[in-house]
Structure formats: C-alpha cells, structure tokens
Amino acid sequence: MMKKTAIALGIAALGFGAQAAEVFKNADTAVEVNVELYFYNLNIVDTASAMARNYFQGAGSQLQLKASKMIDADLTVFGQFELDPDPVGDNATALTDDMKFGLKSKTWGTIQMGQFDTYMEDELMEIAGSFIITGNSVGLVSEATAGNDGRHLLYSHKIGDFAFGLDFTTSQNAAVATDTQNGFAYTASYKLGDLKLVAGASTIARYKSDTYAVNTSKEAKGFGASYLLNSDLGVTKFAALSATNTSYSTTAAYDGLDTTYNTFSVNHTFGPWNVGVISNVLSVPVTSAAAAYTANENGVQVVYDLGKGAKLYAASSNQGLTTGKGNFTEVGFTMAF
C-alpha cells in the first residue's frame, strides 16, 4: 500500500513547504504535534462488483506526536505516535499508524523499535511513487511488498553519500506465541550528486504482524534510481524501480513464483504547481484462484499549493485490467499543520 512516508514528506517539503508545530522546546527537549487532514471525493470501480461507486472520504488524515531529548552532543532519544482517524465517518474507528522509540547517534547511526514502515519500503519500494499524496489506499499503481511493519527493529546509518538500513521483524500467528520464521531486509543507497541509487533484498516474515494471517510473499528484492533536475522551469524528479515479490504457498505449484513490478515516474514542481505521472508494468504469475496476467498501470496527480500547508489536488488511476476494476479518480483538499 502506498503510504505518506518519510520520503514522500521530504518531496512535499521540497515542493510545498511542509509545516510542523512545536509545542515545547528547550535546550535538550522538544515536543512536536503535526496534523494532516484529508477531505476528498472518490469515484472508484468497485473491486468486488466492477461497478463505479462514489464516496466522500477523509481516509489518510493523521494526528502525529513526536518527542525527543538530547542525552549528550552525540546521542538523542526519540519517540513517535501516530493516530489515523477518519474525520468524515460518523464514530469512525481510529487506527494507530507509526509508533516507535529509538536512539539516534551522529556517530553510530539510529536504532529504533515499534510499528513503522520498513527502511526497504521507504527507500526502495516507494522511490517512484513518493510524490503521491492521495488518501485512497489503492494507490495510483501497485507497490511491491517489502515486509511487515509491526514487531519491528531497525538499524540505519548514513556515512557520507552512502546509507543503509537493516530491518528485523518478528513473526507470530494466532495459534502459537512465537514463530522462528522472522523477517530480514537489507537496503543500501548511494548518492552521486543529484543521482540516487538504491538496492535491497528481504526475507519476509511468515505471518503478518496485524492479522496473523500467512503472508503471500516470502521474499522481495529490487533496484531503484532517482534523479533531480533543477532548471529555470522548476524541479523535476525522474525515478525508476524494478522489483520482485516471490510467492509463498503450501501448494508446490504456486510456491516460489515471481510477481514483477517495473515502475517509472516523472514529478515536476513549478511555482505552486506539482504534476506527477507514474506508469507500472505488473506481471502476476498463475495462482490457485486466477490465471497469470500482465497489467499496464498508469496514474497522474496534479497538486496546487494554496500556502500554509493547504493543497488542492486531483488524481486519476487506471489499473490496467479489462474489467476496469480498481480504476479511480479522486479530487480533494488536504491541510497539514
């Protein structure tokens, strides 16, 4: 699922000036509250009935609390809590998102634990889609699975232009308290001027961390690249990703098969405008429920920055299926403060 990750927020800051609200700060302690609100109209071809349906939604809205305290000049302890309510739904269920606690050292890197996107997902799997801000969880194109978010330990570090992350996620199911088939992900990136190269591979935990169901993918790997071009006409980001998910199944005929993702995007910011287009060739192998197929997925998003964290946006996605399932348009307003 495409999510607004650290990468996405970084691009938003570049193009639109993301804001934050400090509620307390002294020499060594800081507390920050951020709010992101979504209100949008979604017209989507229902994935169950292949009929177009229209919704007024607010999914994607988020309340975020961050806190940090300097232990010394090198070491900082930090924590983060995120709550995802739906401001449109009546008595809607409020869900938690990122919750993490960690230590950050300028010399030795960062170690953190909790529930959050894997480093591999943020840095690699979303490299081509990081500009997307739509609230709809379907996403403009499909995204490769990197691994579990919860029950998570991450070590990351940056040394000059080289950066890397090591993700470890534990695996539990509803029947037993623990399971030894945990998840590991290894991701590294290198920046050469405006060019960034990223590669990673992971063994995905057997069970999902939220529902305890069996993960349908057991491995993931990929390579991505992005390039920032500055000109008198604005800032343009080109990005590409080639990734693979290897299936898990107790049926030998469907185990070890590869789903491939080949994605390319162009994202351009000029003045208050931001326009992004993305294309993905999704190749899915035969499964017990369906025949193999290839889908050419395409999406476009236009954003107008009103200032002070307010944006108007419109997005459209074609999932590349003959039935039109999953195709959607979304027009909305988002406010961050």
Side-chain angles (χ1 to χ4, degrees), residues 130-303:
S130 59
F131 68 91
I132 299 171
I133 67 168
T134 58
N136 179 27
S137 62
V138 172
L140 294 184
V141 297
S142 298
E143 180 184 319
T145 299
N148 288 354
D149 290 349
R151 309 182 187 278
H152 190 176
L153 181 67
L154 166 64
Y155 173 70
S156 60
H157 196 23
K158 187 176 185 296
I159 306 171
D161 293 325
F162 175 75
F164 66 92
L166 305 174
D167 291 285
F168 169 73
T169 54
T170 68
S171 176
Q172 291 187 322
N173 64 19
V176 297
T178 60
D179 189 280
T180 57
Q181 294 172 312
N182 300 312
F184 299 89
Y186 317 87
T187 311
S189 67
Y190 183 75
K191 289 197 68 176
L192 185 62
D194 293 322
L195 176 66
K196 182 178 181 180
L197 304 174
V198 189
S202 71
T203 300
I204 299 173
R206 174 64 61 86
Y207 299 99
K208 296 181 180 180
S209 58
D210 48 1
T211 64
Y212 309 109
V214 176
N215 274 313
T216 57
S217 295
K218 63 180 177 181
E219 294 177 357
K221 58 184 177 181
F223 174 82
S226 66
Y227 181 76
L228 279 178
L229 177 64
N230 289 276
S231 70
D232 293 338
L233 298 176
V235 180
T236 306
K237 180 183 178 183
F238 302 90
L241 169 70
S242 180
T244 301
N245 277 144
T246 302
S247 65
Y248 167 76
S249 176
T250 56
T251 303
Y254 308 119
D255 186 57
L257 303 180
D258 288 339
T259 297
T260 60
Y261 309 77
N262 289 287
T263 312
F264 178 75
S265 70
V266 181
N267 176 31
H268 183 64
T269 300
F270 52 106
W273 291 95
N274 180 272
V275 179
V277 294
I278 188 168
S279 177
N280 178 53
V281 178
L282 174 68
S283 181
V284 180
V286 63
T287 66
S288 59
Y293 69 92
T294 297
N296 294 303
E297 305 174 337
N298 297 281
V300 60
Q301 176 184 268
V302 179
V303 182

Side-chain angles (χ1 to χ4, degrees), residues 9 111 178 248 332 337:
L9 292 174
I111 186 166
T178 60
Y248 167 76
F337 53 89

Side-chain angles (χ1 to χ4, degrees), residues 7 118-125 127 187 189 196 198:
I7 297 177
T118 64
Y119 188 91
M120 183 177 181
E121 179 180 350
D122 283 352
E123 289 290 314
L124 177 62
M125 297 307 191
I127 191 170
T187 311
S189 67
K196 182 178 181 180
V198 189

Side-chain angles (χ1 to χ4, degrees), residues 88-105:
V88 173
D90 184 21
N91 294 317
T93 301
L95 304 174
T96 58
D97 197 5
D98 286 5
M99 290 191 290
K100 55 189 175 184
F101 170 78
L103 293 169
K104 182 176 183 178
S105 166

Side-chain angles (χ1 to χ4, degrees), residues 7-81:
I7 297 177
L9 292 174
I11 294 298
L14 174 67
F16 312 124
Q19 299 183 354
E22 284 183 344
V23 296
F24 176 80
K25 187 174 183 179
N26 61 21
D28 62 4
T29 303
V31 178
E32 179 181 305
V33 176
N34 299 278
V35 179
E36 190 166 7
L37 296 175
Y38 273 85
F39 302 96
Y40 57 90
N41 184 79
L42 173 67
N43 185 278
I44 185 169
V45 178
D46 187 88
T47 54
S49 63
M51 295 178 61
R53 301 183 185 276
N54 201 67
Y55 302 94
F56 177 54
Q57 292 189 332
S61 297
Q62 187 173 91
L63 173 65
Q64 184 183 89
L65 174 67
K66 293 181 179 180
S68 63
K69 188 175 186 67
M70 292 179 60
I71 297 176
D72 55 39
D74 180 71
L75 192 62
T76 299
V77 61
F78 65 90
Q80 180 173 325
F81 174 84

